[in-house]
Amino acid sequence: MTAAGSGLAAPAVTLLGRTQLDATAVYFVSYDGLVNNNSFQKNGLLTYKGYQYAAWYTSTRDAVVARRALGATNWSRITLSHTLKSDDSHNVISMGVSRVDGRLHLNMDSHSDGFFYVKSIAGLLDNPASTAWTPAVLGAVQTTLDGVALTTQFTYPQFIATPEGRLQLSYRVGISGNGRNALAEYDGSGWTALGEWSASTGTYTSTHGSSTVRNMYLHGIDYDVNGRLHALFTWREQSAAVMCDSGGLTNHDTGYVYSTDRGRSWRNDAGTTVGTTGSSDTVAVTDSGLVVDSLNPDHSLMNQESQTTDSAGLPHAIISYVPGRFGQCTTDYVADRTANGRAFHLRKNSTGAWQKTEIPIPLASSQRTRLVLDKYDNAYAVLPYGRIAGASKASGYTDWALLYDASDLNAFGEVVVDELRVRADNVLSIMYQEKSSGTTPSPLHVVDFALPA
């Protein structure tokens, strides 16, 4: 199956099978989400050197890490000496790999407070078949990064591997509507706090009113094939005065910055330096040239959606909101996004221009969508409930269509995608949890799809 005139495979997914991680994973709905399936986890599911790793909380609230050889149906578990401290869906488990020493790292259970950290023995991920999968290989649960405390208001851990094999940790300092993004870095011998790189200060004014405090919510943070670090984002204002109705979301605009020095300084789309990490001059809402897709706060734009980069190093993102054809003022963001929300594919093309294409499938959910590119740079949007839509690079990403309707999954809503496995063996792995009610635990699964060979 090829896209017309392209000589490249068109987007397609072929169901390979599914495995069960847990028959009774913890279940509670908080902030319209589940703690085991928040799509902004980076990473709740990851692949490295022929093995796949998953992390979640059980019905007894224990933190668990499991692994399997790729293609295997059975997962081996390790239960950590940590239990989920509150019914808050922000308190996810994120994993990362430091290639420099083959360690697995985990950060978990935080929402504007203290975090919990685990670091495996060196070489664990380099020699998985010959290393016993026991609690001893993961080490003790810590409340610092090997002594580096970072902040008492910590949220949204995202691990990113540098081109050299170091590991960076992206996180937010502060609270919703008043927070700053920051980075720390692990070099194989220890962690260093690089500092904050976005600002919460400055005045933003809409047609309704002004706000003087906010935070930058990342759609992602990723290195491309050339070693450039990309971050697409939206601003969330603290003051509801910027909205037409207090039932909406104060998120506005899609912004973009990049770094060519491993996150030490940041440039806007035109290449002008707009911030230096760890300094008093960080990326602020008042900086010029940040917005690549403008949108006022009246459309319930979602924060922390998704981004990736293609084989040429160009950034792509998914953003979602209620388009203006459904009205110019959302009054209940959950109801309005569920009724009329749409996801959009936003990308920078080879000429340097930004293009946006609506994905013509109703969200039918208030929740987030994940973006994946295959080896041909075809795009896949993993929509709420595990539905998968695709568009071809050959069409200029104009031929979005539903490839898998997920009616057999009974998935709650947001899902977790294994970013690294797509690159490793052309398989799209998705972790999802079945719908339940109240606090009744439900099954947690991984479903695998082959992408075009």
Side-chain angles (χ1 to χ4, degrees):
M1 181 176 175
T2 58
S6 70
L8 301 177
V13 295
T14 303
L15 179 65
L16 295 175
R18 76 189 76 184
T19 58
Q20 182 171 279
L21 290 168
D22 194 334
T24 55
V26 71
Y27 187 99
F28 56 84
V29 179
S30 154
Y31 296 92
D32 206 33
L34 301 182
V35 72
N36 286 331
N37 275 103
N38 259 310
S39 71
F40 56 75
Q41 288 172 257
K42 192 179 179 81
N43 298 280
L45 184 68
L46 66 79
T47 292
Y48 189 72
K49 292 195 174 180
Y51 275 68
Q52 190 171 45
Y53 301 82
W56 71 95
Y57 298 102
T58 68
S59 61
T60 53
R61 307 174 73 86
D62 293 312
V64 167
V65 187
R67 74 174 185 182
R68 64 169 174 170
L70 291 182
T73 56
N74 294 321
W75 294 80
S76 300
R77 291 193 191 187
I78 294 175
T79 301
L80 301 174
S81 57
H82 180 78
T83 55
L84 178 65
K85 66 191 179 190
S86 62
D87 285 358
D88 188 331
S89 65
H90 290 81
N91 293 36
V92 299
I93 305 174
S94 294
M95 298 184 290
V97 179
S98 52
R99 296 196 309 271
V100 67
D101 58 1
R103 295 184 195 263
L104 178 67
H105 302 252
L106 297 95
N107 192 296
M108 56 189 169
D109 205 1
S110 61
H111 184 197
S112 302
D113 54 11
F115 63 80
F116 298 86
Y117 169 68
V118 172
K119 181 182 72 175
S120 81
I121 60 171
L124 173 66
L125 302 192
D126 292 329
N127 305 289
S130 59
T131 306
W133 188 243
T134 66
V137 303
L138 290 183
V141 177
Q142 308 177 46
T143 54
T144 65
L145 299 179
D146 289 338
V148 178
L150 299 183
T151 174
T152 58
Q153 293 184 313
F154 181 100
T155 318
Y156 303 125
Q158 295 193 45
F159 286 109
I160 36 177
T162 72
E164 301 82 15
R166 296 183 177 191
L167 186 66
Q168 294 180 325
L169 177 63
S170 167
Y171 59 98
R172 186 187 73 190
V173 179
I175 62 173
S176 176
N178 187 7
R180 288 89 59 203
N181 289 323
L183 287 171
E185 186 174 88
Y186 175 77
D187 64 2
S189 61
W191 283 94
T192 301
L194 301 182
E196 298 174 10
W197 64 269
S198 74
S200 58
T201 54
T203 298
Y204 167 79
T205 302
S206 73
T207 57
H208 310 291
S210 296
S211 175
T212 57
V213 183
R214 71 204 44 81
N215 67 264
M216 176 197 286
Y217 273 110
L218 297 176
H219 291 310
I221 184 165
D222 298 279
Y223 282 98
D224 68 18
V225 293
N226 304 311
R228 177 175 288 192
L229 183 61
H230 301 261
L232 283 129
F233 60 88
T234 183
W235 295 106
R236 172 173 289 181
E237 299 299 325
Q238 186 180 68
S239 175
V242 301
M243 291 188 292
C244 59
D245 188 279
S246 61
L249 290 172
T250 60
N251 300 336
H252 62 90
D253 298 318
T254 300
Y256 169 72
V257 290
Y258 69 90
S259 174
T260 57
D261 55 8
R262 307 299 188 257
R264 271 65 173 178
S265 64
W266 297 90
R267 299 173 183 268
N268 66 16
D269 193 35
T272 303
T273 299
V274 288
T276 302
T277 302
S279 77
S280 59
D281 180 19
T282 51
V283 182
V285 72
T286 51
D287 286 331
S288 63
L290 299 183
V291 176
V292 295
D293 187 71
S294 60
L295 189 71
N296 68 37
D298 296 334
H299 295 275
S300 292
L301 175 67
M302 183 48 65
N303 48 287
Q304 291 164 289
E305 196 102 29
S306 186
Q307 74 165 47
T308 190
T309 59
D310 64 23
S311 61
L314 295 169
H316 295 238
I318 294 286
I319 62 173
S320 66
Y321 57 88
V322 178
R325 65 178 181 274
F326 297 110
Q328 297 297 330
C329 180
T330 56
T331 58
D332 180 328
Y333 84 87
V334 173
D336 291 340
R337 285 177 55 84
T338 301
N340 297 313
R342 297 293 188 273
F344 296 80
H345 176 210
L346 178 67
R347 68 185 180 100
K348 188 173 186 176
N349 67 24
S350 58
T351 70
W354 289 85
Q355 292 182 261
K356 183 172 68 172
T357 305
E358 181 175 335
I359 299 173
I361 300 165
L363 286 181
S365 169
S366 66
Q367 296 182 292
R368 299 173 179 91
T369 295
R370 287 301 308 266
L371 177 64
V372 172
L373 299 179
D374 68 18
K375 66 182 182 180
Y376 302 108
D377 287 334
N378 296 318
Y380 302 81
V382 186
L383 295 149
Y385 314 116
R387 297 167 294 165
I388 305 172
S392 66
K393 179 183 179 181
S395 73
Y397 305 101
T398 59
D399 58 354
W400 282 100
L402 189 66
L403 304 177
Y404 173 71
D405 70 6
S407 57
D408 56 331
L409 297 186
N410 191 36
F412 166 80
E414 286 186 17
V415 299
V416 172
V417 169
D418 187 338
E419 299 174 4
L420 298 179
R421 186 166 187 190
V422 174
R423 301 169 202 163
D425 68 353
N426 225 37
V427 171
L428 173 60
S429 277
I430 298 170
M431 183 167 73
Y432 70 95
Q433 190 161 350
E434 292 189 29
K435 295 175 186 174
S436 186
S437 60
T439 57
T440 303
S442 69
L444 184 70
H445 305 273
V446 174
V447 59
D448 299 326
F449 299 87
L451 299 180

